[in-house]
Amino acid sequence: MDKALMSFVQSLRHHGIPVSANETIIALKACGLIGFEHRHQIKAALCATLAKSETHARQTADLFEAFFTTGAIRDNIDLPTLRTQQTSISNAFPVPIAQSELGQLLTSANPNLSLAIANAAQQVNTQEMTLFLQINRVSRQILIAMGNRALVREIAQLRNENSECATARHLEEKRQQLLQLITAFVGQQYQLFGKNSVSSLQFNRLQKQKLTTMEDHDQILLSKLILKVAKKLASQHSRKKKIHRKGQLDVRKTITSNIAYGGLPYKTHWKSTKKEKPKVHVLCDVSGSVAKTSKFFLLFVHALQSVLPNVRSFVFTNHTTEVTNLFAMTNSTEAIAKTVDKLSHGSTDYGQALLDYNDIAGHSVDHRTHVIILGDARNNYDSSNAEIWRTVYRKSLSTLWLNPEPRAQWNTGDSIIEQYAPYCSTLETCNSVNDMDRIFSRLLKHS
């Protein structure tokens, strides 16, 4: 049973739940004191000793149910579900004793299938699976390791001797039932040990995928990916505040510190400047023309605000509304839902949106402020009020405009991006997580 618990700890770590060696030892001792026959008490003990938060406790409980149901096959734990499956294989047909080793196992009165599957699975190493498509292949490899080829030859020989042989038919049916049991076991192994590998592959796909082609079911994984990118940006943002400029000697400090040496400059001091942390204002278009990308942009705004200080968030269609407090108090899903439901109606008017932004926050824009707009600059042929953007450009540290449309579509139809372009420190297409990561990494690196 200790081996089963160690494998369970491995599955917890695989799913992102940190478990130390000391915590593992405590869990083993607790389970030993309780007794392994008390399933619910064991589950509670593992949640108490291995989980560090309520979220981790729920994950641990869910993984416990998955692991010690079909996963118990690996360690020969005789659970009711497993007993029922094994009994159905052994008692479905009264078959004569077979000649092959696997045939004898399937036709014996008390087949120890759990141990046989566990031994074969160790040979195949089911925990190395990374793709769902591998389940069938790995299942057949386990069947082969259990002696399937010899059983198939025996069935073929019986059929050659008598095409209507009942023994051959019964052995084949038992073989198929065994394959189903193995497939269930392998599927469970994939859920325990391979699922996060798929998440990594999905992360890689989402990083490169165009925002306009993403589906709603990608949003949960996308939010995790965006938060990961935002945390990386926050790490860049919080680097040393001071930078040293070689070649600029601080004469006063050098003379003062060398008085004890008769004024000779044994110790030199160089001037340094304090690097102030910038402020960030983010304005996000949530109108219908960017509906496919606005949720992504809002996810990023929410994540950025959660990990960086001095971020103010705004959304607009034909009016601008500040959502800094809303994003600070609610999770991303709830914040985005409220924003879209209440503020995404109406046709886009960038001119009016800039007027509103200037009234709300224009006075706070200074030489430390990055002002970022996420939008396609499609203005329904209304006034641009570009002079307001010019004023923001002159007062701020930088102005950054991220347009989800490809450059070939800029300045076509009602797009007025050319009127704002002269007053943008950076103007780029942004239509993927990789684009966002690259642009903001460069922005924070040079700010």
Side-chain angles (χ1 to χ4, degrees):
M1 186 62 186
D2 286 356
K3 182 180 177 183
L5 289 176
M6 292 301 295
S7 295
F8 177 64
V9 168
Q10 183 182 350
S11 73
L12 292 179
R13 290 169 176 162
H14 187 77
H15 282 76
I17 301 175
V19 180
S20 68
N22 187 52
E23 289 167 340
T24 303
I25 293 171
I26 294 172
L28 289 170
K29 289 181 178 178
C31 292
L33 291 172
I34 294 169
F36 293 115
E37 67 275 11
H38 300 294
R39 177 185 175 88
H40 295 295
Q41 289 88 335
I42 289 290
K43 178 180 176 181
L46 291 175
C47 290
T49 55
L50 301 178
K52 298 179 177 65
S53 66
E54 290 185 9
T55 300
H56 285 169
R58 287 193 295 270
Q59 286 181 275
T60 301
D62 291 341
L63 285 170
F64 180 91
E65 292 299 331
F67 189 91
F68 290 106
T69 301
T70 53
I73 296 173
R74 178 181 54 254
D75 295 283
N76 198 24
I77 302 171
D78 196 21
L79 298 176
T81 301
L82 180 58
R83 285 200 300 268
T84 301
Q85 289 175 310
Q86 293 182 197
T87 303
S88 67
I89 292 179
S90 62
N91 297 336
F93 304 98
V95 181
I97 297 176
Q99 299 301 313
S100 63
E101 185 177 348
L102 181 56
Q104 292 175 5
L105 180 65
L106 293 176
T107 57
S108 62
N110 297 295
N112 198 356
L113 290 177
S114 60
L115 183 59
I117 292 174
N119 291 335
Q122 288 180 352
Q123 297 178 40
V124 175
N125 201 359
T126 57
Q127 296 181 8
E128 297 298 321
M129 286 187 296
T130 59
L131 295 173
F132 179 79
L133 297 175
Q134 293 175 298
I135 290 177
N136 287 337
R137 178 177 61 81
V138 171
S139 299
R140 294 192 175 276
Q141 287 178 340
I142 292 176
L143 189 61
I144 290 171
M146 292 179 70
N148 180 63
R149 287 173 177 156
L151 177 59
V152 169
R153 284 195 297 270
E154 180 180 4
I155 293 172
Q157 184 178 352
L158 290 171
R159 284 175 173 167
N160 287 335
E161 295 173 357
N162 180 2
S163 60
E164 300 297 328
C165 180
T167 301
R169 184 171 66 253
H170 293 159
L171 284 174
E172 177 59 30
E173 289 177 355
K174 286 177 176 288
R175 191 181 75 89
Q176 292 299 326
Q177 289 178 6
L178 175 62
L179 179 58
Q180 291 175 10
L181 181 59
I182 293 172
T183 302
F185 165 70
V186 174
Q188 180 267 350
Q189 290 287 287
Y190 167 76
Q191 290 293 324
L192 289 171
F193 297 99
K195 199 172 182 180
N196 279 1
S197 299
V198 174
S199 294
S200 298
L201 295 175
Q202 290 174 325
F203 274 170
N204 292 334
R205 172 182 64 82
L206 288 179
Q207 280 182 311
K208 302 173 185 177
Q209 187 172 342
K210 299 296 182 185
L211 303 178
T212 49
T213 63
M214 286 189 180
E215 302 295 337
D216 289 341
H217 60 73
D218 287 327
Q219 186 166 334
I220 295 177
L221 192 60
L222 183 63
S223 63
K224 295 180 181 179
L225 176 59
I226 290 174
L227 184 59
K228 182 179 178 182
V229 172
K231 285 180 178 179
K232 189 190 83 171
L233 296 176
S235 176
Q236 291 180 329
H237 181 80
S238 59
R239 287 175 181 171
K240 291 181 180 180
K241 295 181 180 179
K242 291 186 177 181
I243 55 174
H244 294 277
R245 301 185 298 182
K246 289 186 178 180
Q248 296 189 23
L249 184 69
D250 191 322
V251 177
R252 186 178 65 82
K253 285 186 178 181
T254 300
I255 292 175
T256 301
S257 64
N258 286 282
I259 291 176
Y261 306 108
L264 296 176
Y266 285 104
K267 295 181 181 180
T268 56
H269 293 267
W270 304 91
K271 288 184 178 180
S272 63
T273 59
K274 185 176 288 187
K275 189 174 182 180
E276 297 177 319
K277 287 187 176 182
K279 300 184 293 184
V280 180
H281 290 187
V282 187
L283 293 84
C284 182
D285 184 353
V286 293
S287 63
S289 63
V290 287
K292 274 283 189 179
T293 55
S294 61
K295 286 185 179 180
F296 161 77
F297 283 148
L298 288 172
L299 275 173
F300 191 81
V301 172
H302 189 279
L304 202 64
Q305 185 178 311
S306 69
V307 296
L308 287 179
N310 303 323
V311 176
R312 293 180 66 179
S313 305
F314 307 84
V315 298
F316 65 90
T317 53
N318 51 6
H319 288 284
T320 297
T321 303
E322 184 168 6
V323 293
T324 305
N325 291 337
L326 173 64
F327 278 27
M329 293 186 296
T330 56
N331 60 51
S332 60
T333 302
E334 185 179 352
I336 291 171
K338 288 182 177 179
T339 300
V340 172
D341 288 344
K342 295 181 179 180
L343 305 173
S344 64
H345 307 293
S347 56
T348 315
D349 186 342
Y350 276 77
Q352 184 60 50
L354 287 173
L355 278 172
D356 293 344
Y357 166 70
N358 192 53
D359 291 341
I360 297 170
H363 62 281
S364 65
V365 176
D366 56 27
H367 69 283
R368 296 188 299 120
T369 310
H370 294 291
V371 183
I372 304 163
I373 286 189
L374 312 169
D376 59 4
R378 295 200 172 273
N379 203 39
N380 296 296
Y381 304 100
D382 290 323
S383 173
S384 67
N385 284 333
E387 66 277 3
I388 297 176
W389 189 239
R390 178 180 60 193
T391 301
V392 172
Y393 169 72
R394 290 175 175 175
K395 291 170 60 179
S396 64
L397 176 60
S398 71
T399 52
L400 173 64
W401 197 301
L402 303 182
N403 194 327
E405 293 186 339
R407 285 184 178 269
Q409 295 180 19
W410 293 5
N411 304 313
T412 62
D414 61 344
S415 171
I416 56 170
I417 191 68
E418 63 180 354
Q419 296 187 42
Y420 300 116
Y423 314 118
C424 294
S425 307
T426 302
L427 173 59
E428 295 198 36
T429 293
C430 180
N431 199 13
S432 71
V433 178
N434 275 349
D435 289 342
M436 186 70 78
D437 187 8
R438 171 179 51 80
I439 294 166
F440 275 86
S441 292
R442 188 174 69 243
L443 172 70
L444 292 176
K445 180 178 179 180
H446 296 292
S447 63

